[in-house]
Amino acid sequence: MQANQRYAFIVLAVGFTLAAVIMTVLSVHLLTLLQSQGLALAAAVALGTLIGPAQVGARVLEMLFGKKAHPIWSLLASAVLVAVGLGMLVGAPGVVAAGIVMYGMGSGIRSIARGTVPLALFGKEGYAVLMGRIAMPTLIAQAASPFLGAWLLDSFGTQVTLAVLCGVAVLSILMVLALVPYALRRQRADARHAP
């Protein structure tokens, strides 16, 4: 792996790991986060059910409109939607519902971008090994995240936990932005070598 590829690999792996932390903490602790802001359990569950349809809807939209764009833009859209959605979780119930939909859309798009971005950045050769290397820190982070989320909630409360998750989401956006120049250079090089 060349130096510029190594840089892109590290940035991508860190970005995917940060996103995995956010999504795992939220999937485990969403109801607790919502209830601690005054929502009844039934309302929290109802809001939580918005994530699945939002994920599916975003995947359909990505398949329809994202085909011609470089996958890095889908990854960026995912990171922004997740960050904005998380930020909206501190609002009134209507705002929270919109935030959960945005978060779900970002999560849904990320599930596609997780496979397409590495392929676009590094090509087909060695793809399976590359995905395994990216998966290792992600899986470790996913295993630790429920405990981390519980510790944050127990030690610092809902507002700090959401602030930390928002901070991680902003870092995730920065990781994607750091990849954009590399992705565009790679796209131009691939276009030059295409038959």
Side-chain angles (χ1 to χ4, degrees), residues 106-179:
S107 172
I109 294 170
R110 183 168 297 270
S111 68
I112 294 172
R114 196 170 41 231
T116 57
V117 170
L119 186 61
L121 294 182
F122 304 107
K124 291 184 251 186
E125 191 172 323
Y127 178 76
V129 172
L130 178 81
M131 292 304 288
R133 289 182 180 158
I134 289 174
M136 187 181 68
T138 301
L139 292 172
I140 291 169
Q142 284 177 314
S145 294
F147 170 78
L148 174 65
W151 176 76
L152 281 169
L153 281 165
D154 189 50
S155 300
F156 303 103
T158 302
Q159 300 307 315
V160 170
T161 302
L162 285 172
V164 168
L165 290 174
C166 286
V168 173
V170 169
L171 283 175
S172 182
I173 293 171
L174 294 176
M175 294 294 108
V176 179
L177 288 173
L179 284 172

